[in-house]
Amino acid sequence: MKKLRIEISNWFDKLDRKWRAMPVKEQQRKTLLLFAGYALLSFIVLLEVCYDVAHSDNTMTIEHIENPIRQNNSSVSTQDSITILKDKNHESCMSCP
């Protein structure tokens, strides 16, 4: 894990050196392109959400929840099948602290 962290740190340092070595105009251009891509993606998602809301059928059916045990007429008992086994050493007593 420590080796991975060192590798990632070295990779970020290399990227930072490349970014700082780049001319300021090129940095500004790349930052502007990144922002424009982000804005375009945000606009597309906003349009898709508006389209989905405008074209929704706004219907919801509300029904009662059916009990699956009553529907199934098998011989399965409706009680819990878990049995709790207690050890006599672990039972609660009045004189225990």
Side-chain angles (χ1 to χ4, degrees):
M1 191 69 178
K2 191 172 184 179
K3 184 179 178 184
L4 178 64
R5 186 178 50 179
I6 291 170
E7 290 291 326
I8 291 173
S9 178
N10 290 339
W11 182 63
F12 277 125
D13 289 341
K14 188 171 90 173
L15 284 176
D16 188 48
R17 284 192 301 271
K18 282 185 178 182
W19 179 259
R20 291 177 190 271
M22 193 182 303
V24 175
K25 286 285 191 188
E26 185 72 19
Q27 288 179 0
Q28 290 173 347
R29 188 175 139 270
K30 288 195 179 200
T31 304
L32 184 63
L33 284 174
L34 184 66
F35 177 73
Y38 177 76
L40 180 66
L41 185 64
S42 297
F43 183 71
I44 290 170
V45 169
L46 185 64
L47 282 178
E48 185 176 348
V49 168
C50 290
Y51 178 79
D52 288 345
V53 168
H55 289 89
S56 66
D57 42 339
N58 291 332
T59 58
M60 179 185 291
T61 58
I62 300 174
E63 299 175 356
H64 291 285
I65 299 173
E66 299 293 329
N67 188 350
I69 295 177
R70 288 187 185 166
Q71 289 178 354
N72 188 3
N73 292 331
S74 66
S75 63
V76 176
S77 174
T78 59
Q79 295 179 354
D80 286 340
S81 61
I82 299 173
T83 57
I84 300 173
L85 301 175
K86 291 185 177 179
D87 188 9
K88 291 189 185 252
N89 295 334
H90 294 221
E91 287 185 11
S92 61
C93 64
M94 299 304 264
S95 63
C96 297

